[in-house]
Amino acid sequence: PFTFLHLDALMDMMALAVHTGKIRAVGVSNYNARQMRRAAARLARYGIPLAANEVHYSLLHRQPETNGVLDACRELNVALVAWQSLESGKLRAAPLPGTAPVPVRRDLSTLIPPALRKAEIARLTAIQETLNTIAQRYGMTTSQVALKWLLQRDEHIIPIPGATSAHHASENADALKWFLSDEEFAAIDSVTQPK
């Protein structure tokens, strides 16, 4: 949300941009459920639907399911565009047995107390092992399985995974070519529930 401009004024300007042909649709980023509803109501005055809300959503960050954003997307028929859907590579590959996952990017995890860090590593390892088991079954990658779970989670979810090469982009697109069974979906859902 743009804090220096009132939400209604911003949506008025977006509506003007649609009506003058500068844009075809209006999307927002990181809006909570209340802000989404307010933006959608303001745009509705102009006959324009809210098209999308881009938020952080992945198997490791499932807050849109509990904070009302996914429900608001369903209610308003708005796409939930999931950024960081592969958590900067944390869901890309399972660690070797008996080893801890290596952080993909530098972050503030060193400030986390060791007991919590150990629990976080154990959770990530269990998730990666579940994804890897399913990936091997289909000849897919763990990232493809993570993307497929998001795609099957709800018709409103559109993951936007990062890709550092053409190969990664092609690999991500291949997640569209197959389906998880109900049991596989449930296994991923269970192991990724926040503790």
Side-chain angles (χ1 to χ4, degrees):
F2 192 71
T3 58
F4 299 110
L5 190 60
H6 192 270
L7 189 144
D8 290 345
L10 180 60
M11 292 305 115
D12 291 345
M13 288 190 293
M14 293 295 103
L16 178 62
V18 170
H19 287 302
T20 58
K22 295 184 192 286
I23 61 174
R24 286 185 271 173
V26 178
V28 296
S29 183
N30 297 320
Y31 274 40
N32 63 36
R34 182 187 59 75
Q35 291 165 323
M36 280 180 62
R37 287 183 180 95
R38 198 161 145 211
R42 189 66 177 200
L43 289 170
R45 292 177 164 196
Y46 301 97
I48 299 169
L50 179 62
N53 185 12
E54 183 183 28
V55 297
H56 185 187
Y57 185 41
S58 74
L59 289 171
L60 298 179
H61 186 90
R62 294 181 60 178
Q63 283 80 350
E65 297 172 23
T66 58
N67 66 13
V69 169
L70 182 54
D71 288 336
C73 286
R74 291 174 180 145
E75 171 192 324
L76 300 168
N77 197 25
V78 171
L80 186 155
V81 181
W83 60 265
Q84 204 154 354
S85 54
L86 295 175
E87 291 295 331
S88 299
K90 287 181 183 175
L91 297 172
R92 180 160 288 284
L96 296 172
T99 63
V102 178
V104 175
R105 65 179 185 170
R106 292 183 183 182
D107 56 23
L108 300 176
S109 64
T110 56
L111 300 176
I112 300 171
L116 289 177
R117 196 166 49 239
K118 186 175 181 180
E120 183 181 316
I121 289 170
R123 178 175 180 256
L124 180 56
T125 300
I127 292 168
Q128 289 173 328
E129 287 172 355
T130 301
L131 296 176
N132 196 41
T133 298
I134 296 168
Q136 288 178 0
R137 195 173 299 149
Y138 291 99
M140 297 290 172
T141 65
T142 55
S143 59
Q144 288 170 318
V145 176
L147 290 174
K148 179 49 77 176
W149 185 89
L150 285 171
L151 289 165
Q152 282 184 226
R153 175 71 175 95
D154 192 281
E155 65 183 4
H156 292 89
I157 299 169
I158 303 169
I160 51 170
T164 57
S165 68
H167 171 74
H168 284 157
S170 178
E171 178 184 297
N172 292 340
D174 284 344
L176 297 168
K177 296 181 178 178
W178 59 286
F179 291 92
L180 294 166
S181 70
D182 291 344
E183 294 78 19
E184 292 162 340
F185 184 91
I188 295 168
D189 190 58
S190 175
V191 77
T192 60
Q193 285 294 326
K195 303 292 184 220

mmCIF file of all heavy atoms in Angstrom, residues 40-76:
data_model
loop_
_atom_site.group_PDB
_atom_site.id
_atom_site.type_symbol
_atom_site.label_atom_id
_atom_site.label_comp_id
_atom_site.label_asym_id
_atom_site.label_seq_id
_atom_site.Cartn_x
_atom_site.Cartn_y
_atom_site.Cartn_z
ATOM 1 N N ALA A 40 -11.439 -2.711 -3.934
ATOM 2 C CA ALA A 40 -12.416 -3.292 -4.862
ATOM 3 C C ALA A 40 -13.706 -2.474 -4.878
ATOM 4 O O ALA A 40 -14.290 -2.240 -5.945
ATOM 5 C CB ALA A 40 -12.693 -4.740 -4.485
ATOM 6 N N ALA A 41 -14.160 -2.034 -3.700
ATOM 7 C CA ALA A 41 -15.388 -1.236 -3.625
ATOM 8 C C ALA A 41 -15.212 0.101 -4.339
ATOM 9 O O ALA A 41 -16.117 0.565 -5.039
ATOM 10 C CB ALA A 41 -15.783 -1.013 -2.166
ATOM 11 N N ARG A 42 -14.045 0.722 -4.181
ATOM 12 C CA ARG A 42 -13.809 2.008 -4.840
ATOM 13 C C ARG A 42 -13.756 1.828 -6.362
ATOM 14 O O ARG A 42 -14.338 2.622 -7.100
ATOM 15 C CB ARG A 42 -12.501 2.625 -4.324
ATOM 16 C CG ARG A 42 -12.277 4.042 -4.788
ATOM 17 C CD ARG A 42 -13.327 4.973 -4.202
ATOM 18 N NE ARG A 42 -13.084 6.346 -4.584
ATOM 19 C CZ ARG A 42 -13.576 7.378 -3.947
ATOM 20 N NH1 ARG A 42 -14.344 7.209 -2.881
ATOM 21 N NH2 ARG A 42 -13.323 8.597 -4.350
ATOM 22 N N LEU A 43 -13.083 0.798 -6.827
ATOM 23 C CA LEU A 43 -13.000 0.539 -8.269
ATOM 24 C C LEU A 43 -14.367 0.186 -8.850
ATOM 25 O O LEU A 43 -14.666 0.530 -9.999
ATOM 26 C CB LEU A 43 -12.004 -0.584 -8.549
ATOM 27 C CG LEU A 43 -10.530 -0.251 -8.330
ATOM 28 C CD1 LEU A 43 -9.686 -1.518 -8.395
ATOM 29 C CD2 LEU A 43 -10.045 0.773 -9.346
ATOM 30 N N ALA A 44 -15.202 -0.491 -8.056
ATOM 31 C CA ALA A 44 -16.534 -0.886 -8.523
ATOM 32 C C ALA A 44 -17.375 0.335 -8.887
ATOM 33 O O ALA A 44 -18.239 0.247 -9.769
ATOM 34 C CB ALA A 44 -17.240 -1.728 -7.469
ATOM 35 N N ARG A 45 -17.124 1.476 -8.251
ATOM 36 C CA ARG A 45 -17.835 2.711 -8.601
ATOM 37 C C ARG A 45 -17.640 3.075 -10.073
ATOM 38 O O ARG A 45 -18.451 3.759 -10.667
ATOM 39 C CB ARG A 45 -17.337 3.881 -7.757
ATOM 40 C CG ARG A 45 -17.677 3.812 -6.319
ATOM 41 C CD ARG A 45 -17.047 4.990 -5.615
ATOM 42 N NE ARG A 45 -17.637 5.181 -4.303
ATOM 43 C CZ ARG A 45 -17.519 6.279 -3.588
ATOM 44 N NH1 ARG A 45 -16.831 7.301 -4.064
ATOM 45 N NH2 ARG A 45 -18.075 6.379 -2.410
ATOM 46 N N TYR A 46 -16.521 2.621 -10.627
ATOM 47 C CA TYR A 46 -16.181 2.914 -12.021
ATOM 48 C C TYR A 46 -16.434 1.711 -12.938
ATOM 49 O O TYR A 46 -16.060 1.734 -14.107
ATOM 50 C CB TYR A 46 -14.707 3.324 -12.126
ATOM 51 C CG TYR A 46 -14.353 4.533 -11.294
ATOM 52 C CD1 TYR A 46 -13.778 4.387 -10.036
ATOM 53 C CD2 TYR A 46 -14.616 5.818 -11.764
ATOM 54 C CE1 TYR A 46 -13.449 5.503 -9.267
ATOM 55 C CE2 TYR A 46 -14.294 6.938 -11.002
ATOM 56 C CZ TYR A 46 -13.720 6.766 -9.758
ATOM 57 O OH TYR A 46 -13.402 7.876 -9.004
ATOM 58 N N GLY A 47 -17.001 0.650 -12.376
ATOM 59 C CA GLY A 47 -17.248 -0.553 -13.167
ATOM 60 C C GLY A 47 -15.986 -1.349 -13.458
ATOM 61 O O GLY A 47 -15.925 -2.090 -14.443
ATOM 62 N N ILE A 48 -14.995 -1.228 -12.595
ATOM 63 C CA ILE A 48 -13.711 -1.911 -12.797
ATOM 64 C C ILE A 48 -13.492 -2.894 -11.652
ATOM 65 O O ILE A 48 -13.547 -2.510 -10.487
ATOM 66 C CB ILE A 48 -12.559 -0.885 -12.826
ATOM 67 C CG1 ILE A 48 -12.755 0.107 -13.976
ATOM 68 C CG2 ILE A 48 -11.203 -1.582 -12.934
ATOM 69 C CD1 ILE A 48 -11.830 1.297 -13.920
ATOM 70 N N PRO A 49 -13.225 -4.158 -11.978
ATOM 71 C CA PRO A 49 -12.924 -5.114 -10.902
ATOM 72 C C PRO A 49 -11.460 -5.006 -10.477
ATOM 73 O O PRO A 49 -10.603 -4.618 -11.274
ATOM 74 C CB PRO A 49 -13.181 -6.468 -11.559
ATOM 75 C CG PRO A 49 -12.881 -6.238 -13.008
ATOM 76 C CD PRO A 49 -13.283 -4.803 -13.287
ATOM 77 N N LEU A 50 -11.187 -5.321 -9.237
ATOM 78 C CA LEU A 50 -9.812 -5.463 -8.783
ATOM 79 C C LEU A 50 -9.320 -6.785 -9.355
ATOM 80 O O LEU A 50 -9.961 -7.821 -9.172
ATOM 81 C CB LEU A 50 -9.741 -5.462 -7.251
ATOM 82 C CG LEU A 50 -8.357 -5.637 -6.636
ATOM 83 C CD1 LEU A 50 -7.425 -4.482 -7.024
ATOM 84 C CD2 LEU A 50 -8.464 -5.750 -5.118
ATOM 85 N N ALA A 51 -8.195 -6.776 -10.061
ATOM 86 C CA ALA A 51 -7.728 -7.969 -10.759
ATOM 87 C C ALA A 51 -6.847 -8.875 -9.898
ATOM 88 O O ALA A 51 -6.963 -10.097 -9.977
ATOM 89 C CB ALA A 51 -6.965 -7.574 -12.025
ATOM 90 N N ALA A 52 -5.953 -8.289 -9.101
ATOM 91 C CA ALA A 52 -4.968 -9.116 -8.409
ATOM 92 C C ALA A 52 -4.426 -8.429 -7.163
ATOM 93 O O ALA A 52 -4.427 -7.209 -7.065
ATOM 94 C CB ALA A 52 -3.802 -9.429 -9.353
ATOM 95 N N ASN A 53 -3.973 -9.270 -6.238
ATOM 96 C CA ASN A 53 -3.224 -8.809 -5.072
ATOM 97 C C ASN A 53 -1.977 -9.677 -5.001
ATOM 98 O O ASN A 53 -2.064 -10.896 -4.851
ATOM 99 C CB ASN A 53 -4.046 -8.946 -3.791
ATOM 100 C CG ASN A 53 -3.345 -8.351 -2.576
ATOM 101 O OD1 ASN A 53 -2.348 -7.645 -2.687
ATOM 102 N ND2 ASN A 53 -3.871 -8.631 -1.398
ATOM 103 N N GLU A 54 -0.814 -9.062 -5.150
ATOM 104 C CA GLU A 54 0.449 -9.790 -5.115
ATOM 105 C C GLU A 54 0.955 -9.799 -3.680
ATOM 106 O O GLU A 54 1.216 -8.745 -3.100
ATOM 107 C CB GLU A 54 1.450 -9.105 -6.046
ATOM 108 C CG GLU A 54 2.758 -9.822 -6.141
ATOM 109 C CD GLU A 54 3.754 -9.082 -7.013
ATOM 110 O OE1 GLU A 54 3.673 -7.835 -7.110
ATOM 111 O OE2 GLU A 54 4.611 -9.745 -7.581
ATOM 112 N N VAL A 55 1.062 -11.001 -3.100
ATOM 113 C CA VAL A 55 1.492 -11.146 -1.707
ATOM 114 C C VAL A 55 2.476 -12.297 -1.573
ATOM 115 O O VAL A 55 2.545 -13.182 -2.425
ATOM 116 C CB VAL A 55 0.284 -11.383 -0.752
ATOM 117 C CG1 VAL A 55 -0.663 -10.205 -0.751
ATOM 118 C CG2 VAL A 55 -0.439 -12.667 -1.088
ATOM 119 N N HIS A 56 3.213 -12.292 -0.488
ATOM 120 C CA HIS A 56 4.134 -13.389 -0.177
ATOM 121 C C HIS A 56 3.322 -14.621 0.217
ATOM 122 O O HIS A 56 2.553 -14.581 1.169
ATOM 123 C CB HIS A 56 5.052 -12.952 0.973
ATOM 124 C CG HIS A 56 6.120 -13.934 1.314
ATOM 125 N ND1 HIS A 56 6.930 -13.766 2.397
ATOM 126 C CD2 HIS A 56 6.537 -15.091 0.721
ATOM 127 C CE1 HIS A 56 7.792 -14.765 2.465
ATOM 128 N NE2 HIS A 56 7.561 -15.587 1.466
ATOM 129 N N TYR A 57 3.506 -15.698 -0.551
ATOM 130 C CA TYR A 57 2.776 -16.929 -0.265
ATOM 131 C C TYR A 57 3.563 -18.103 -0.811
ATOM 132 O O TYR A 57 3.956 -18.120 -1.980
ATOM 133 C CB TYR A 57 1.389 -16.878 -0.909
ATOM 134 C CG TYR A 57 0.481 -18.050 -0.599
ATOM 135 C CD1 TYR A 57 0.412 -18.592 0.669
ATOM 136 C CD2 TYR A 57 -0.325 -18.597 -1.579
ATOM 137 C CE1 TYR A 57 -0.440 -19.650 0.955
ATOM 138 C CE2 TYR A 57 -1.184 -19.656 -1.303
ATOM 139 C CZ TYR A 57 -1.237 -20.176 -0.029
ATOM 140 O OH TYR A 57 -2.077 -21.227 0.255
ATOM 141 N N SER A 58 3.818 -19.070 0.042
ATOM 142 C CA SER A 58 4.537 -20.284 -0.344
ATOM 143 C C SER A 58 4.241 -21.361 0.697
ATOM 144 O O SER A 58 3.540 -21.116 1.681
ATOM 145 C CB SER A 58 6.046 -20.017 -0.399
ATOM 146 O OG SER A 58 6.578 -19.923 0.916
ATOM 147 N N LEU A 59 4.839 -22.520 0.479
ATOM 148 C CA LEU A 59 4.693 -23.598 1.460
ATOM 149 C C LEU A 59 5.313 -23.227 2.807
ATOM 150 O O LEU A 59 4.920 -23.761 3.841
ATOM 151 C CB LEU A 59 5.347 -24.881 0.934
ATOM 152 C CG LEU A 59 4.612 -25.567 -0.206
ATOM 153 C CD1 LEU A 59 5.463 -26.702 -0.785
ATOM 154 C CD2 LEU A 59 3.264 -26.091 0.252
ATOM 155 N N LEU A 60 6.267 -22.319 2.803
ATOM 156 C CA LEU A 60 6.901 -21.880 4.056
ATOM 157 C C LEU A 60 6.265 -20.626 4.632
ATOM 158 O O LEU A 60 6.557 -20.243 5.763
ATOM 159 C CB LEU A 60 8.397 -21.617 3.829
ATOM 160 C CG LEU A 60 9.246 -22.804 3.402
ATOM 161 C CD1 LEU A 60 10.693 -22.370 3.202
ATOM 162 C CD2 LEU A 60 9.153 -23.937 4.413
ATOM 163 N N HIS A 61 5.414 -19.973 3.852
ATOM 164 C CA HIS A 61 4.786 -18.718 4.291
ATOM 165 C C HIS A 61 3.306 -18.774 3.899
ATOM 166 O O HIS A 61 2.910 -18.280 2.844
ATOM 167 C CB HIS A 61 5.487 -17.524 3.626
ATOM 168 C CG HIS A 61 5.015 -16.207 4.122
ATOM 169 N ND1 HIS A 61 5.585 -15.571 5.194
ATOM 170 C CD2 HIS A 61 4.012 -15.407 3.713
ATOM 171 C CE1 HIS A 61 4.965 -14.427 5.405
ATOM 172 N NE2 HIS A 61 3.991 -14.306 4.523
ATOM 173 N N ARG A 62 2.503 -19.382 4.740
ATOM 174 C CA ARG A 62 1.100 -19.635 4.414
ATOM 175 C C ARG A 62 0.139 -18.646 5.074
ATOM 176 O O ARG A 62 -1.054 -18.895 5.150
ATOM 177 C CB ARG A 62 0.757 -21.080 4.796
ATOM 178 C CG ARG A 62 1.528 -22.080 3.913
ATOM 179 C CD ARG A 62 1.232 -23.512 4.219
ATOM 180 N NE ARG A 62 -0.173 -23.825 4.029
ATOM 181 C CZ ARG A 62 -0.695 -25.035 4.200
ATOM 182 N NH1 ARG A 62 0.083 -26.044 4.548
ATOM 183 N NH2 ARG A 62 -1.981 -25.233 4.039
ATOM 184 N N GLN A 63 0.621 -17.494 5.495
ATOM 185 C CA GLN A 63 -0.212 -16.517 6.177
ATOM 186 C C GLN A 63 -1.445 -16.070 5.386
ATOM 187 O O GLN A 63 -2.478 -15.788 5.997
ATOM 188 C CB GLN A 63 0.611 -15.295 6.602
ATOM 189 C CG GLN A 63 1.455 -15.527 7.828
ATOM 190 C CD GLN A 63 2.760 -16.271 7.544
ATOM 191 O OE1 GLN A 63 2.985 -16.779 6.464
ATOM 192 N NE2 GLN A 63 3.611 -16.342 8.533
ATOM 193 N N PRO A 64 -1.403 -15.976 4.043
ATOM 194 C CA PRO A 64 -2.626 -15.564 3.340
ATOM 195 C C PRO A 64 -3.828 -16.475 3.613
ATOM 196 O O PRO A 64 -4.970 -16.058 3.462
ATOM 197 C CB PRO A 64 -2.220 -15.606 1.865
ATOM 198 C CG PRO A 64 -0.760 -15.283 1.897
ATOM 199 C CD PRO A 64 -0.251 -16.015 3.128
ATOM 200 N N GLU A 65 -3.560 -17.699 4.063
ATOM 201 C CA GLU A 65 -4.653 -18.616 4.394
ATOM 202 C C GLU A 65 -5.306 -18.255 5.724
ATOM 203 O O GLU A 65 -6.471 -18.584 5.947
ATOM 204 C CB GLU A 65 -4.132 -20.054 4.482
ATOM 205 C CG GLU A 65 -3.583 -20.588 3.189
ATOM 206 C CD GLU A 65 -2.906 -21.930 3.372
ATOM 207 O OE1 GLU A 65 -3.216 -22.643 4.365
ATOM 208 O OE2 GLU A 65 -2.059 -22.271 2.533
ATOM 209 N N THR A 66 -4.558 -17.625 6.613
ATOM 210 C CA THR A 66 -5.071 -17.360 7.956
ATOM 211 C C THR A 66 -5.358 -15.889 8.231
ATOM 212 O O THR A 66 -6.060 -15.576 9.185
ATOM 213 C CB THR A 66 -4.076 -17.871 9.025
ATOM 214 O OG1 THR A 66 -2.811 -17.237 8.820
ATOM 215 C CG2 THR A 66 -3.909 -19.381 8.940
ATOM 216 N N ASN A 67 -4.815 -14.992 7.420
ATOM 217 C CA ASN A 67 -5.019 -13.563 7.678
ATOM 218 C C ASN A 67 -6.168 -12.966 6.874
ATOM 219 O O ASN A 67 -6.383 -11.761 6.900
ATOM 220 C CB ASN A 67 -3.725 -12.778 7.444
ATOM 221 C CG ASN A 67 -3.268 -12.782 5.994
ATOM 222 O OD1 ASN A 67 -3.997 -13.165 5.081
ATOM 223 N ND2 ASN A 67 -2.037 -12.354 5.775
ATOM 224 N N GLY A 68 -6.904 -13.804 6.145
ATOM 225 C CA GLY A 68 -8.075 -13.348 5.420
ATOM 226 C C GLY A 68 -7.831 -12.955 3.974
ATOM 227 O O GLY A 68 -8.785 -12.731 3.218
ATOM 228 N N VAL A 69 -6.580 -12.880 3.544
ATOM 229 C CA VAL A 69 -6.293 -12.442 2.175
ATOM 230 C C VAL A 69 -6.798 -13.453 1.152
ATOM 231 O O VAL A 69 -7.451 -13.076 0.167
ATOM 232 C CB VAL A 69 -4.789 -12.140 1.983
ATOM 233 C CG1 VAL A 69 -4.445 -11.944 0.514
ATOM 234 C CG2 VAL A 69 -4.402 -10.907 2.788
ATOM 235 N N LEU A 70 -6.522 -14.746 1.342
ATOM 236 C CA LEU A 70 -7.004 -15.749 0.388
ATOM 237 C C LEU A 70 -8.535 -15.777 0.366
ATOM 238 O O LEU A 70 -9.147 -15.854 -0.704
ATOM 239 C CB LEU A 70 -6.434 -17.130 0.706
ATOM 240 C CG LEU A 70 -6.820 -18.260 -0.252
ATOM 241 C CD1 LEU A 70 -6.492 -17.926 -1.706
ATOM 242 C CD2 LEU A 70 -6.139 -19.559 0.164
ATOM 243 N N ASP A 71 -9.157 -15.679 1.516
ATOM 244 C CA ASP A 71 -10.628 -15.631 1.567
ATOM 245 C C ASP A 71 -11.168 -14.412 0.820
ATOM 246 O O ASP A 71 -12.159 -14.514 0.088
ATOM 247 C CB ASP A 71 -11.124 -15.615 3.014
ATOM 248 C CG ASP A 71 -10.939 -16.950 3.713
ATOM 249 O OD1 ASP A 71 -10.859 -17.988 3.015
ATOM 250 O OD2 ASP A 71 -10.866 -16.951 4.951
ATOM 251 N N ALA A 72 -10.518 -13.263 0.983
ATOM 252 C CA ALA A 72 -10.954 -12.053 0.274
ATOM 253 C C ALA A 72 -10.770 -12.217 -1.229
ATOM 254 O O ALA A 72 -11.614 -11.764 -2.014
ATOM 255 C CB ALA A 72 -10.188 -10.836 0.785
ATOM 256 N N CYS A 73 -9.695 -12.873 -1.640
ATOM 257 C CA CYS A 73 -9.488 -13.127 -3.070
ATOM 258 C C CYS A 73 -10.621 -13.987 -3.629
ATOM 259 O O CYS A 73 -11.135 -13.718 -4.719
ATOM 260 C CB CYS A 73 -8.144 -13.807 -3.308
ATOM 261 S SG CYS A 73 -6.720 -12.701 -3.115
ATOM 262 N N ARG A 74 -11.019 -15.000 -2.876
ATOM 263 C CA ARG A 74 -12.137 -15.851 -3.312
ATOM 264 C C ARG A 74 -13.434 -15.045 -3.388
ATOM 265 O O ARG A 74 -14.172 -15.125 -4.363
ATOM 266 C CB ARG A 74 -12.311 -17.010 -2.336
ATOM 267 C CG ARG A 74 -11.199 -18.027 -2.375
ATOM 268 C CD ARG A 74 -11.378 -19.050 -1.273
ATOM 269 N NE ARG A 74 -10.318 -20.036 -1.277
ATOM 270 C CZ ARG A 74 -9.812 -20.579 -0.187
ATOM 271 N NH1 ARG A 74 -10.273 -20.234 1.016
ATOM 272 N NH2 ARG A 74 -8.851 -21.470 -0.266
ATOM 273 N N GLU A 75 -13.697 -14.295 -2.343
ATOM 274 C CA GLU A 75 -14.932 -13.507 -2.249
ATOM 275 C C GLU A 75 -15.043 -12.492 -3.384
ATOM 276 O O GLU A 75 -16.118 -12.301 -3.964
ATOM 277 C CB GLU A 75 -14.943 -12.790 -0.895
ATOM 278 C CG GLU A 75 -16.027 -11.776 -0.702
ATOM 279 C CD GLU A 75 -15.776 -10.920 0.541
ATOM 280 O OE1 GLU A 75 -15.260 -11.452 1.553
ATOM 281 O OE2 GLU A 75 -16.083 -9.716 0.483
ATOM 282 N N LEU A 76 -13.937 -11.837 -3.715
ATOM 283 C CA LEU A 76 -13.934 -10.774 -4.711
ATOM 284 C C LEU A 76 -13.551 -11.260 -6.115
ATOM 285 O O LEU A 76 -13.527 -10.468 -7.048
ATOM 286 C CB LEU A 76 -12.957 -9.669 -4.280
ATOM 287 C CG LEU A 76 -13.246 -8.996 -2.945
ATOM 288 C CD1 LEU A 76 -12.062 -8.137 -2.510
ATOM 289 C CD2 LEU A 76 -14.518 -8.163 -3.031
#
